[in-house]
Amino acid sequence: MVEKSLETAPPKKYPGATFLGRHIIPRQYVRYDESEQPRDKNNESEHVNNLTNNFNTVGYRMDAQPPIVCFDSQSTSIFALKAQAGFNRDGALNNLGQECYIFDIYDYEDDYAEVVARNMSNHHSNPQLDQKIPDYVKEVVNAKERGLIDNTQSAIDSFVDIIAADRTPQQRGKIKKSSYSRCEVFSNFRTYNSTGHGKNTLNGFISSNGLAKQGIENRTAKDIKKQGYIVYCSGKGNNKSVWMRSITNSVKYGVPVYVIGYSQERVDDLDTFREKFIEDWNDQKEILVKFAESLFEDCGEFDESRIQVKLAGFMAQYIKPDPNDKGRPTEQNMVDMYGKTIKFDKNADCLTLIQP
Protein backbone atom coordinates (compact mmCIF):
# COMPACT_ATOMS: atom_id res chain seq x y z
CA MET A 1 0.00 0.00 0.00
CA VAL A 2 2.83 2.39 0.84
CA GLU A 3 4.58 1.79 -2.48
CA LYS A 4 1.36 2.08 -4.48
CA SER A 5 0.30 5.26 -2.65
CA LEU A 6 3.48 6.96 -3.82
CA GLU A 7 2.00 6.74 -7.31
CA THR A 8 -1.66 7.47 -6.49
CA ALA A 9 -0.89 10.25 -4.01
CA PRO A 10 2.73 11.39 -4.52
CA PRO A 11 4.37 13.42 -1.74
CA LYS A 12 3.68 17.14 -1.89
CA LYS A 13 6.40 19.71 -2.32
CA TYR A 14 6.61 22.47 0.27
CA PRO A 15 8.89 25.54 0.19
CA GLY A 16 11.96 24.96 2.32
CA ALA A 17 11.10 21.31 2.96
CA THR A 18 12.83 18.06 1.92
CA PHE A 19 10.83 14.85 1.61
CA LEU A 20 12.59 12.03 3.47
CA GLY A 21 10.21 9.18 2.82
CA ARG A 22 6.79 7.59 3.34
CA HIS A 23 6.62 4.93 6.05
CA ILE A 24 4.32 2.90 8.26
CA ILE A 25 5.07 4.26 11.72
CA PRO A 26 3.88 3.23 15.21
CA ARG A 27 1.78 6.17 16.37
CA GLN A 28 3.34 6.09 19.84
CA TYR A 29 6.38 7.80 18.30
CA VAL A 30 4.36 10.71 16.88
CA ARG A 31 3.72 13.75 19.09
CA TYR A 32 0.79 16.10 18.45
CA ASP A 33 1.13 19.58 19.95
CA GLU A 34 -2.36 21.07 20.18
CA SER A 35 -0.92 24.58 20.45
CA GLU A 36 0.27 24.14 16.85
CA GLN A 37 -3.08 22.92 15.54
CA PRO A 38 -3.60 24.95 12.32
CA ARG A 39 -7.26 25.50 13.10
CA ASP A 40 -8.56 28.07 15.55
CA LYS A 41 -10.27 25.35 17.58
CA ASN A 42 -8.88 21.97 18.57
CA ASN A 43 -10.30 18.69 17.33
CA GLU A 44 -13.97 18.90 16.32
CA SER A 45 -15.89 15.79 17.37
CA GLU A 46 -18.16 15.76 14.31
CA HIS A 47 -15.22 15.77 11.92
CA VAL A 48 -13.41 13.11 13.95
CA ASN A 49 -16.54 10.92 13.69
CA ASN A 50 -16.72 11.54 9.91
CA LEU A 51 -13.10 10.42 9.52
CA THR A 52 -13.75 7.35 11.68
CA ASN A 53 -16.79 6.37 9.61
CA ASN A 54 -14.93 6.97 6.36
CA PHE A 55 -12.07 4.71 7.44
CA ASN A 56 -14.50 1.98 8.51
CA THR A 57 -16.30 2.22 5.15
CA VAL A 58 -13.50 2.51 2.56
CA GLY A 59 -10.35 1.81 4.57
CA TYR A 60 -7.14 3.70 3.85
CA ARG A 61 -7.66 6.23 1.05
CA MET A 62 -5.00 5.55 -1.57
CA ASP A 63 -5.76 8.87 -3.28
CA ALA A 64 -5.25 10.93 -0.12
CA GLN A 65 -2.09 12.49 1.22
CA PRO A 66 -0.96 10.97 4.53
CA PRO A 67 -0.28 13.23 7.53
CA ILE A 68 3.12 14.90 7.54
CA VAL A 69 5.70 14.75 10.34
CA CYS A 70 9.28 15.72 11.06
CA PHE A 71 11.86 14.55 13.56
CA ASP A 72 11.11 16.01 17.00
CA SER A 73 13.91 18.36 18.07
CA GLN A 74 12.45 18.54 21.58
CA SER A 75 12.94 14.83 22.20
CA THR A 76 16.12 12.99 23.12
CA SER A 77 14.95 9.95 21.16
CA ILE A 78 16.19 9.61 17.58
CA PHE A 79 12.88 7.90 16.72
CA ALA A 80 10.56 10.65 18.01
CA LEU A 81 8.48 12.54 15.47
CA LYS A 82 6.32 15.65 15.63
CA ALA A 83 3.16 15.98 13.54
CA GLN A 84 2.39 19.05 11.44
CA ALA A 85 -1.00 17.82 10.24
CA GLY A 86 -3.58 15.14 10.91
CA PHE A 87 -4.79 16.36 14.31
CA ASN A 88 -8.38 15.30 13.72
CA ARG A 89 -7.25 12.13 11.98
CA ASP A 90 -5.25 11.27 15.10
CA GLY A 91 -8.49 11.42 17.09
CA ALA A 92 -10.16 9.10 14.58
CA LEU A 93 -7.27 6.62 14.78
CA ASN A 94 -7.65 6.62 18.57
CA ASN A 95 -11.31 5.67 18.11
CA LEU A 96 -10.28 2.85 15.79
CA GLY A 97 -7.48 1.56 18.00
CA GLN A 98 -5.11 1.88 15.06
CA GLU A 99 -1.59 1.51 16.44
CA CYS A 100 0.30 2.21 13.19
CA TYR A 101 -0.36 4.55 10.29
CA ILE A 102 1.27 5.84 7.13
CA PHE A 103 3.14 9.16 7.43
CA ASP A 104 5.25 11.35 5.16
CA ILE A 105 8.46 12.49 6.87
CA TYR A 106 9.96 15.88 5.98
CA ASP A 107 12.94 17.91 7.05
CA TYR A 108 12.44 21.70 7.26
CA GLU A 109 15.12 24.30 6.81
CA ASP A 110 13.57 26.47 9.53
CA ASP A 111 10.45 27.00 11.65
CA TYR A 112 8.87 29.21 8.98
CA ALA A 113 9.03 26.37 6.43
CA GLU A 114 7.41 24.05 8.97
CA VAL A 115 4.50 26.44 9.54
CA VAL A 116 3.97 26.86 5.79
CA ALA A 117 3.92 23.10 5.22
CA ARG A 118 1.55 22.63 8.16
CA ASN A 119 -1.00 24.86 6.49
CA MET A 120 -0.44 23.80 2.90
CA SER A 121 -0.92 20.16 3.87
CA ASN A 122 -4.59 20.92 4.55
CA HIS A 123 -5.17 21.69 0.86
CA HIS A 124 -6.43 18.19 0.01
CA SER A 125 -9.57 16.38 -1.15
CA ASN A 126 -9.84 13.66 1.50
CA PRO A 127 -12.79 13.94 3.95
CA GLN A 128 -11.69 17.20 5.46
CA LEU A 129 -12.53 20.14 7.63
CA ASP A 130 -11.65 23.27 5.68
CA GLN A 131 -9.60 25.88 7.43
CA LYS A 132 -11.74 28.93 7.98
CA ILE A 133 -10.69 32.56 8.08
CA PRO A 134 -10.15 32.52 11.89
CA ASP A 135 -7.90 29.47 11.44
CA TYR A 136 -5.61 31.29 9.04
CA VAL A 137 -5.64 34.43 11.19
CA LYS A 138 -4.57 32.29 14.15
CA GLU A 139 -1.62 31.03 12.13
CA VAL A 140 -0.61 34.58 11.16
CA VAL A 141 -0.78 35.79 14.77
CA ASN A 142 1.23 32.78 16.00
CA ALA A 143 3.86 33.29 13.29
CA LYS A 144 4.17 36.95 14.21
CA GLU A 145 4.46 36.22 17.95
CA ARG A 146 7.14 33.59 17.30
CA GLY A 147 9.10 36.05 15.20
CA LEU A 148 8.74 33.96 12.04
CA ILE A 149 7.32 36.94 10.12
CA ASP A 150 7.67 40.68 10.60
CA ASN A 151 4.67 42.60 11.88
CA THR A 152 4.22 44.48 8.63
CA GLN A 153 1.60 44.50 5.90
CA SER A 154 3.97 43.14 3.26
CA ALA A 155 5.17 40.27 5.47
CA ILE A 156 1.62 39.28 6.39
CA ASP A 157 0.48 39.52 2.77
CA SER A 158 3.28 37.22 1.59
CA PHE A 159 2.64 34.71 4.37
CA VAL A 160 -1.12 34.59 3.73
CA ASP A 161 -0.61 34.21 -0.03
CA ILE A 162 1.43 31.06 0.70
CA ILE A 163 -0.57 29.35 3.45
CA ALA A 164 -3.95 30.21 1.90
CA ALA A 165 -2.98 29.67 -1.72
CA ASP A 166 -6.07 27.52 -2.30
CA ARG A 167 -8.42 30.29 -1.16
CA THR A 168 -9.94 32.91 -3.46
CA PRO A 169 -8.40 36.40 -3.68
CA GLN A 170 -11.44 37.72 -1.82
CA GLN A 171 -10.99 35.21 0.99
CA ARG A 172 -7.28 35.96 1.25
CA GLY A 173 -8.15 39.66 1.40
CA LYS A 174 -10.41 39.01 4.41
CA ILE A 175 -7.69 36.94 6.09
CA LYS A 176 -5.17 39.73 5.59
CA LYS A 177 -7.46 42.46 6.93
CA SER A 178 -8.35 40.41 10.01
CA SER A 179 -4.66 39.66 10.55
CA TYR A 180 -3.72 43.35 10.32
CA SER A 181 -6.26 44.06 13.04
CA ARG A 182 -5.25 41.17 15.33
CA CYS A 183 -1.56 41.98 14.94
CA GLU A 184 -2.19 45.72 15.33
CA VAL A 185 -0.13 46.44 12.23
CA PHE A 186 -1.76 49.82 11.73
CA SER A 187 -2.83 50.71 15.27
CA ASN A 188 -1.11 54.08 14.94
CA PHE A 189 -2.34 54.90 11.44
CA ARG A 190 -5.29 57.12 10.56
CA THR A 191 -7.20 56.79 7.33
CA TYR A 192 -9.69 59.29 5.94
CA ASN A 193 -13.09 58.55 4.45
CA SER A 194 -13.81 60.32 1.16
CA THR A 195 -17.46 60.88 2.13
CA GLY A 196 -19.13 62.50 5.09
CA HIS A 197 -18.04 65.34 7.33
CA GLY A 198 -16.81 63.56 10.47
CA LYS A 199 -13.41 63.87 12.10
CA ASN A 200 -11.69 61.19 10.02
CA THR A 201 -13.04 62.30 6.64
CA LEU A 202 -11.46 64.47 3.96
CA ASN A 203 -14.07 67.18 4.54
CA GLY A 204 -13.55 66.91 8.29
CA PHE A 205 -9.80 67.39 7.91
CA ILE A 206 -10.27 70.42 5.66
CA SER A 207 -12.75 71.97 8.08
CA SER A 208 -10.68 71.27 11.22
CA ASN A 209 -7.72 73.05 9.65
CA GLY A 210 -9.78 76.13 8.84
CA LEU A 211 -9.45 75.75 5.07
CA ALA A 212 -11.98 76.60 2.39
CA LYS A 213 -14.20 73.70 1.31
CA GLN A 214 -12.78 71.42 -1.34
CA GLY A 215 -13.42 72.37 -4.94
CA ILE A 216 -15.67 75.16 -6.18
CA GLU A 217 -19.18 73.81 -5.62
CA ASN A 218 -21.90 76.15 -4.33
CA ARG A 219 -19.68 79.21 -4.67
CA THR A 220 -19.63 82.05 -7.15
CA ALA A 221 -16.58 83.34 -8.96
CA LYS A 222 -16.61 86.25 -6.53
CA ASP A 223 -16.57 83.84 -3.58
CA ILE A 224 -13.60 81.96 -5.05
CA LYS A 225 -11.73 85.21 -5.64
CA LYS A 226 -12.41 86.29 -2.07
CA GLN A 227 -11.11 83.10 -0.49
CA GLY A 228 -8.02 83.45 -2.70
CA TYR A 229 -7.32 79.79 -3.45
CA ILE A 230 -8.90 76.41 -4.20
CA VAL A 231 -8.06 73.21 -2.37
CA TYR A 232 -8.28 69.53 -3.36
CA CYS A 233 -7.25 66.27 -1.70
CA SER A 234 -5.49 63.50 -3.60
CA GLY A 235 -4.37 59.95 -2.80
CA LYS A 236 -1.87 59.95 -5.68
CA GLY A 237 0.66 62.48 -6.88
CA ASN A 238 -0.18 61.79 -10.52
CA ASN A 239 -3.97 61.71 -10.18
CA LYS A 240 -4.93 63.06 -13.60
CA SER A 241 -8.45 63.99 -12.55
CA VAL A 242 -7.15 66.18 -9.72
CA TRP A 243 -4.50 67.71 -11.95
CA MET A 244 -6.93 68.65 -14.73
CA ARG A 245 -9.53 70.07 -12.34
CA SER A 246 -6.80 72.07 -10.66
CA ILE A 247 -5.40 73.48 -13.91
CA THR A 248 -8.86 74.28 -15.28
CA ASN A 249 -10.10 76.06 -12.16
CA SER A 250 -6.82 77.87 -11.55
CA VAL A 251 -7.02 79.42 -15.02
CA LYS A 252 -10.75 79.99 -14.84
CA TYR A 253 -10.77 81.78 -11.48
CA GLY A 254 -7.25 83.22 -11.46
CA VAL A 255 -6.26 81.75 -8.08
CA PRO A 256 -3.73 79.11 -7.05
CA VAL A 257 -4.88 75.57 -6.38
CA TYR A 258 -3.39 73.69 -3.45
CA VAL A 259 -3.48 69.90 -3.29
CA ILE A 260 -3.18 68.01 0.01
CA GLY A 261 -1.85 64.47 -0.28
CA TYR A 262 -2.84 61.46 1.80
CA SER A 263 -2.65 57.67 1.68
CA GLN A 264 -5.99 56.07 0.89
CA GLU A 265 -4.88 52.82 2.51
CA ARG A 266 -2.81 51.92 5.55
CA VAL A 267 0.86 51.66 4.66
CA ASP A 268 3.91 50.39 6.55
CA ASP A 269 6.11 53.35 5.71
CA LEU A 270 4.62 56.83 5.33
CA ASP A 271 8.00 58.35 4.39
CA THR A 272 8.26 56.00 1.42
CA PHE A 273 4.65 56.68 0.39
CA ARG A 274 5.15 60.45 0.53
CA GLU A 275 8.44 60.28 -1.35
CA LYS A 276 6.70 58.26 -4.09
CA PHE A 277 3.79 60.75 -4.07
CA ILE A 278 6.18 63.64 -4.74
CA GLU A 279 8.02 61.66 -7.41
CA ASP A 280 4.72 60.95 -9.20
CA TRP A 281 3.68 64.59 -8.76
CA ASN A 282 6.85 65.83 -10.45
CA ASP A 283 6.53 63.30 -13.28
CA GLN A 284 2.97 64.40 -14.01
CA LYS A 285 3.93 68.06 -13.77
CA GLU A 286 6.76 67.53 -16.28
CA ILE A 287 4.37 65.90 -18.75
CA LEU A 288 1.95 68.81 -18.56
CA VAL A 289 4.75 71.37 -18.88
CA LYS A 290 6.05 69.62 -21.99
CA PHE A 291 2.56 69.69 -23.44
CA ALA A 292 2.27 73.42 -22.80
CA GLU A 293 5.70 74.07 -24.33
CA SER A 294 4.77 72.09 -27.44
CA LEU A 295 2.09 74.67 -28.26
CA PHE A 296 4.62 77.47 -28.81
CA GLU A 297 7.90 77.74 -30.69
CA ASP A 298 9.62 79.86 -28.04
CA CYS A 299 8.36 79.76 -24.46
CA GLY A 300 11.31 81.60 -23.02
CA GLU A 301 12.98 80.52 -19.79
CA PHE A 302 10.76 78.23 -17.71
CA ASP A 303 9.99 79.42 -14.18
CA GLU A 304 8.52 76.54 -12.15
CA SER A 305 7.39 78.84 -9.35
CA ARG A 306 4.77 80.29 -11.73
CA ILE A 307 2.85 77.01 -11.85
CA GLN A 308 -0.36 77.67 -9.96
CA VAL A 309 -1.07 74.04 -9.04
CA LYS A 310 0.89 73.36 -5.86
CA LEU A 311 1.33 70.60 -3.31
CA ALA A 312 0.45 72.16 0.02
CA GLY A 313 1.48 69.22 2.20
CA PHE A 314 0.11 65.95 3.56
CA MET A 315 -2.61 64.98 5.99
CA ALA A 316 -1.44 63.81 9.40
CA GLN A 317 -1.75 60.01 9.43
CA TYR A 318 0.84 58.72 11.90
CA ILE A 319 -0.99 59.22 15.18
CA LYS A 320 1.10 57.29 17.72
CA PRO A 321 1.00 59.25 21.01
CA ASP A 322 4.16 61.30 21.48
CA PRO A 323 5.40 60.96 25.11
CA ASN A 324 7.39 64.18 24.66
CA ASP A 325 4.28 66.15 23.74
CA LYS A 326 1.82 65.18 26.50
CA GLY A 327 0.62 62.15 24.55
CA ARG A 328 -0.59 64.11 21.55
CA PRO A 329 -0.47 62.37 18.16
CA THR A 330 3.00 62.36 16.62
CA GLU A 331 1.59 63.99 13.48
CA GLN A 332 -0.95 66.78 13.77
CA ASN A 333 -2.90 68.85 11.25
CA MET A 334 -1.05 69.24 7.93
CA VAL A 335 2.54 68.00 7.67
CA ASP A 336 5.46 68.00 5.27
CA MET A 337 6.84 64.78 3.78
CA TYR A 338 8.75 64.10 7.02
CA GLY A 339 5.70 64.44 9.27
CA LYS A 340 6.55 67.88 10.63
CA THR A 341 3.52 70.14 11.15
CA ILE A 342 3.30 73.02 8.68
CA LYS A 343 0.83 75.88 8.51
CA PHE A 344 -1.23 76.37 5.38
CA ASP A 345 -0.34 79.53 3.51
CA LYS A 346 -2.28 80.51 0.38
CA ASN A 347 0.82 82.33 -0.87
CA ALA A 348 3.27 79.49 -0.22
CA ASP A 349 5.39 77.79 -2.88
CA CYS A 350 4.80 74.20 -3.87
CA LEU A 351 6.20 71.76 -1.30
CA THR A 352 8.02 69.90 -4.08
CA LEU A 353 10.30 72.93 -4.61
CA ILE A 354 11.85 72.39 -1.18
CA GLN A 355 11.34 68.68 -0.46
CA PRO A 356 12.78 66.13 -0.60
Side-chain angles (χ1 to χ4, degrees), residues 154-165:
S154 58
I156 289 175
D157 286 353
S158 298
F159 186 58
V160 171
D161 286 339
I162 293 174
I163 67 171

Side-chain angles (χ1 to χ4, degrees), residues 4 7 14 93 111 162 193-194 209 233 251 307 313 315 321:
K4 186 176 181 180
E7 299 178 3
Y14 304 108
L93 295 175
D111 291 344
I162 293 174
N193 198 318
S194 60
N209 281 270
C233 301
V251 173
I307 298 177
M315 295 183 180

Side-chain angles (χ1 to χ4, degrees), residues 174-327:
K174 291 180 180 179
I175 295 167
K176 292 173 184 178
K177 288 183 179 179
S178 295
S179 297
Y180 301 155
S181 177
R182 285 283 301 277
C183 295
E184 297 185 338
V185 174
F186 303 114
S187 59
N188 298 311
F189 197 97
R190 174 181 291 158
T191 56
Y192 293 91
N193 198 318
S194 60
T195 60
H197 294 81
K199 178 182 178 181
N200 294 336
T201 66
L202 300 183
N203 290 325
F205 176 88
I206 295 295
S207 176
S208 65
N209 281 270
L211 305 180
K213 291 189 297 183
Q214 279 196 85
I216 59 173
E217 286 72 25
N218 301 318
R219 277 160 287 181
T220 64
K222 185 177 181 180
D223 294 331
I224 300 296
K225 284 280 190 180
K226 184 177 180 181
Q227 70 187 35
Y229 65 95
I230 298 170
V231 64
Y232 288 109
C233 301
S234 179
K236 295 181 178 180
N238 58 357
N239 187 310
K240 297 176 180 58
S241 176
V242 172
W243 267 98
M244 295 314 299
R245 282 202 305 267
S246 299
I247 291 172
T248 299
N249 289 328
S250 175
V251 173
K252 182 177 180 179
Y253 295 101
V255 296
V257 175
Y258 286 92
V259 177
I260 304 175
Y262 73 102
S263 175
Q264 296 169 298
E265 299 178 346
R266 294 176 171 89
V267 295
D268 294 333
D269 190 336
L270 266 175
D271 287 347
T272 299
F273 165 79
R274 288 167 178 165
E275 184 175 348
K276 180 65 164 55
F277 187 104
I278 289 179
E279 180 181 326
D280 291 342
W281 175 280
N282 287 332
D283 288 345
Q284 185 63 33
K285 177 170 58 179
E286 184 177 352
I287 291 172
L288 295 171
V289 168
K290 286 183 177 179
F291 170 75
E293 289 178 336
S294 70
L295 301 177
F296 305 95
E297 292 184 1
D298 183 10
C299 295
E301 186 176 350
F302 174 64
D303 182 1
E304 190 170 352
S305 65
R306 295 177 59 189
I307 298 177
Q308 292 300 290
V309 179
K310 308 178 182 183
L311 179 63
F314 296 93
M315 295 183 180
Q317 295 192 269
Y318 182 56
I319 58 171
K320 181 179 180 179
D322 184 353
N324 298 318
D325 192 19
K326 300 180 180 179

